[in-house]
Amino acid sequence: NAGVTQTPKFRVLKTGQSMTLLCAQDMNHEYMYWYRQDPGMGLRLIHYSVGEGTTAKGEVPDGYNVSRLKKQNFLLGLESAAPSQTSVYFCASSYLVQGGGTEAFFGQGTRLTVV
Amino acid sequence: GQQVMQIPQYQHVQEGEDFTTYCNSSTTLSNIQWYKQRPGGHPVFLIQLVKSGEVKKQKRLTFQFGEAKKNSSLHITATQTTDVGTYFCAGPSDRIFGNEKLTFGTGTRLTIIP
C-alpha cells in the first residue's frame, strides 16, 4: 500500500499564479485533511472532508479551496498565490477507531514557495 | 474555537536525560493523540488516549491523559539520539457527523546533545 501520496513534492510559484495540490489515499478512509506547517506554528488545519462530495473549513481556510469528487482524492487549490502561503503542506487521511478517536496518516508533504 | 497549547516549544537535553512535554486544551477532549515528526519528515501517529486518567507506555515513552481530559503529557526516559524530532499532541475540535477534526498542538521540538 502506498498510503497517502501527495503531488508535487516541491513547487515554486510566482505571486498571483494558481496551482492545485493533489492528495491520494488508498486506504479507503472516509476523512481527509489539509494542513499547513510553518515554523513555530505547528500544524494548522486548512480544510477537511468527512466523505466524498463534502468539505468544510478549518482554522485557516482563506485563500484556499478544496474538492473531494472521489473518495480517494482530496485536492487543494490556490487561486492566486501570495507569499504568505509559502509553507509546507500536509495531507492526511483517517478513520474512526474504537472509542471514537481518529488515527491520522500523513503524506510526505509539499514544500511550496511563493516569490 | 478550541486551542491546544504545548510546552515547552523547544527542549535540548543531554543523551540519557529524561524529557517531558505537556499539552493543554481549552476544552475537554474526547480523546488525545500523540504524533512524532522527524526532521524533514511527516507526522507519524504514536498513540491515542481515551479514558480519564489513562496511562500508556511504549518502551521508554509514557503517555498520560489528565483526569479532566483537558491535558496530557509525554515523558521519555533516558533519551536517545533516535528520539530527536518534534512531538505533537492532537485532539478533536468538533464532532460533526460523528467524526472529529484534528486540532494539533504547537509541538515541542526535542534535540539531543550526544
Side-chain angles (χ1 to χ4, degrees):
Chain A
N1 279 347
V4 179
T5 304
Q6 290 182 233
T7 52
K9 291 185 171 49
F10 303 93
R11 185 72 185 269
V12 178
L13 283 180
K14 293 183 178 179
T15 298
Q17 286 185 320
S18 63
M19 79 163 294
T20 300
L21 282 68
L22 172 63
C23 177
Q25 54 98 0
D26 61 3
M27 296 172 283
N28 201 35
H29 288 172
E30 288 294 331
Y31 317 122
M32 297 188 75
Y33 312 86
W34 275 107
Y35 292 90
R36 61 176 289 174
Q37 185 173 35
D38 304 291
M41 301 292 289
L43 291 155
R44 293 184 292 170
L45 183 63
I46 305 171
H47 286 281
Y48 66 102
S49 169
V50 299
E52 181 179 320
T54 71
T55 63
K57 294 180 180 180
E59 306 166 67
V60 290
D62 293 343
Y64 305 95
N65 57 76
V66 288
S67 65
R68 183 111 181 258
L69 298 179
K70 294 183 178 180
K71 186 178 183 180
Q72 63 268 32
N73 296 336
F74 196 29
L75 295 116
L76 177 70
L78 286 74
E79 290 186 348
S80 179
S84 60
Q85 293 178 304
T86 294
S87 187
V88 179
Y89 292 84
F90 286 102
C91 175
S93 70
S94 67
Y95 61 99
L96 278 176
V97 299
Q98 190 175 9
T102 307
E103 173 185 350
F105 294 79
F106 282 81
Q108 300 293 323
T110 297
R111 186 173 295 274
L112 175 66
T113 302
V114 183
V115 298
Chain B
Q2 180 204 52
Q3 290 187 330
V4 181
M5 303 299 294
Q6 274 184 261
I7 54 171
Q9 189 174 0
Y10 301 96
Q11 186 79 55
H12 312 284
V13 300
Q14 291 274 355
E15 187 174 7
E17 290 183 339
D18 293 355
F19 159 77
T20 304
T21 174
Y22 300 92
C23 178
N24 296 290
S25 171
S26 58
T27 59
T28 301
L29 300 169
S30 60
N31 67 82
I32 195 158
Q33 297 157 39
W34 285 92
Y35 293 78
K36 177 183 178 181
Q37 183 178 23
R38 294 183 185 274
H42 60 280
V44 175
F45 176 82
L46 292 176
I47 206 162
Q48 175 187 270
L49 304 170
V50 179
K51 299 177 183 177
S52 170
E54 188 172 13
V55 177
K56 286 188 176 180
K57 292 190 176 183
Q58 287 180 348
K59 297 183 180 179
R60 294 177 294 103
L61 279 62
T62 301
F63 303 85
Q64 290 188 312
F65 201 9
E67 293 291 341
K69 301 184 78 173
K70 295 182 71 174
N71 56 72
S72 180
S73 65
L74 159 60
H75 179 82
I76 303 178
T77 303
T79 54
Q80 300 175 0
T81 55
T82 53
D83 296 324
V84 165
T86 302
Y87 293 85
F88 292 97
C89 62
S93 180
D94 293 326
R95 293 197 72 100
I96 302 175
F97 304 120
N99 188 31
E100 299 109 329
K101 64 182 183 182
L102 282 179
T103 298
F104 280 76
T106 46
T108 296
R109 184 174 176 181
L110 173 64
T111 56
I112 307 288
I113 306 167

